[in-house]
Amino acid sequence: MTVVRHFVSMPALRAVLYVPAILGLLLLANIALRWSLANVYSTQVSHHLDTVKKDSSNKNAKQWRQARQHLERTLELRPAYARYFELGEAFHQKLASLEFRKDPLIQELAWYDNALEALNYARRSLRQTPSWPYLWNRLLISKLLLKQYDNELAGGIERAVRLGSWEQPIQYSVAILGLDSWPILQDAARLHVLHAMEQTLAMDQINHNKDYDATKMFSRSNFSQACEMLAKGMIDRPLYSHCTLK
């Protein structure tokens, strides 16, 4: 029996080995290009939101539509990136505040259900970055705007307070939002709000900031109800001393 052997030349062998490497490099180059473009578009959205934060009246409907197109393009180019979900949450959270105030711009844009959109973006981002307290805080805002007083809200309050224990903006935000929503909160959530109030007071004494002035808590309409809970449980005593002064 005759055995026929086929020998592959060295150049041909190299070509076969190079093909996967070349394809891999092309794939990486494509990903890098897409991510770079996504960064360009996201920067435009961030700039839009920064400008609106300074003065919400300096952006017209055309500029908002362009910013939304940039956001959508960002998510198309890099669809599984937590920071861009967070950007989407911030975008719709701002629109939700305009919608809540019945700003004429919302009527012109005809964009509604923004609080729900913001909440969905927050959830998607939190699946990837569950330890980010600022995002938990923004989830609370959307939940309260939607009047969703459920276990997700209570859990969000707990995580925002625990994960951002020494973040002054978070503790102050939870304290104020919690006091304003006190009558409809679960008892477990109220305990976390009390802790946020205590932290707000402690940080204000260490480093006073007029934007997070702890004394503003004492003028909220539901502060007396929080004091009642403090009296029953004899908890957060430094805070309770302010109850007795009212």
Side-chain angles (χ1 to χ4, degrees):
M1 182 174 61
T2 304
V3 178
V4 180
R5 294 184 179 181
H6 299 278
F7 294 94
V8 181
S9 66
M10 289 302 294
L13 181 61
R14 290 196 188 97
V16 171
L17 294 174
Y18 286 161
V19 168
I22 293 171
L23 291 175
L25 289 172
L26 289 173
L27 178 62
L28 290 174
N30 180 60
I31 292 173
L33 177 61
R34 290 173 64 88
W35 286 11
S36 296
L37 288 173
N39 184 61
V40 171
Y41 284 117
S42 69
T43 300
Q44 295 298 317
V45 180
S46 296
H47 177 71
H48 174 87
L49 292 176
D50 288 341
T51 306
V52 170
K53 186 177 181 180
K54 296 175 183 176
D55 181 4
S56 61
S57 64
N58 60 11
K59 292 293 183 181
N60 57 36
K62 180 180 178 181
Q63 292 168 311
W64 271 101
R65 290 191 182 99
Q66 185 179 48
R68 185 169 184 171
Q69 289 174 357
H70 289 160
L71 175 62
E72 290 171 350
R73 188 66 179 132
T74 297
L75 292 167
E76 287 173 7
L77 290 165
R78 196 169 182 183
Y81 188 39
R83 188 169 74 84
Y84 294 156
F85 290 147
E86 190 173 353
L87 184 64
E89 187 278 335
F91 183 85
H92 285 282
Q93 187 70 260
K94 183 58 186 177
L95 285 170
S97 68
L98 296 176
E99 189 177 348
F100 182 75
R101 299 200 307 264
K102 299 186 181 344
D103 192 293
L105 180 65
I106 291 295
Q107 301 292 329
E108 185 178 354
L109 291 169
W111 293 347
Y112 302 103
D113 299 323
N114 290 289
L116 182 59
E117 286 288 338
L119 177 60
N120 288 332
Y121 274 115
R123 286 168 172 162
R124 292 166 74 183
S125 185
L126 284 167
R127 290 190 193 107
Q128 298 184 33
T129 55
S131 61
W132 185 229
Y134 284 89
L135 197 50
W136 282 111
N137 184 58
R138 290 198 288 275
L139 178 137
L140 305 182
I141 296 172
S142 295
K143 296 284 290 184
L144 291 171
L145 284 173
L146 292 166
K147 299 181 180 180
Q148 295 183 1
Y149 312 124
D150 52 19
N151 290 334
E152 184 181 38
L153 174 63
I157 292 174
E158 184 273 330
R159 288 173 178 82
V161 173
R162 175 170 54 83
L163 295 171
S165 58
W166 287 102
E167 296 291 334
Q168 198 168 11
I170 291 178
Q171 299 300 321
Y172 178 81
S173 175
V174 173
I176 296 298
L177 290 172
L179 280 170
D180 290 345
S181 308
W182 188 269
I184 49 82
L185 292 181
Q186 301 172 3
D187 283 344
R190 289 174 178 173
L191 288 174
H192 295 303
V193 171
L194 289 175
H195 183 71
M197 293 167 64
E198 184 71 12
Q199 284 294 95
T200 298
L201 183 61
M203 286 186 283
D204 190 57
Q205 292 171 345
I206 295 171
N207 181 28
H208 177 72
N209 185 323
K210 64 179 183 179
D211 292 331
Y212 312 115
D213 186 355
T215 61
K216 294 178 182 178
M217 298 186 299
F218 311 144
S219 61
R220 312 308 285 194
S221 59
N222 295 316
F223 182 69
S224 60
Q225 296 183 45
C227 287
E228 290 176 9
M229 188 170 188
L230 287 171
K232 291 177 182 177
M234 292 303 293
I235 52 180
D236 294 327
R237 294 184 181 181
L239 180 60
Y240 186 67
S241 65
H242 292 272
C243 295
T244 60
L245 293 174
K246 285 183 66 64

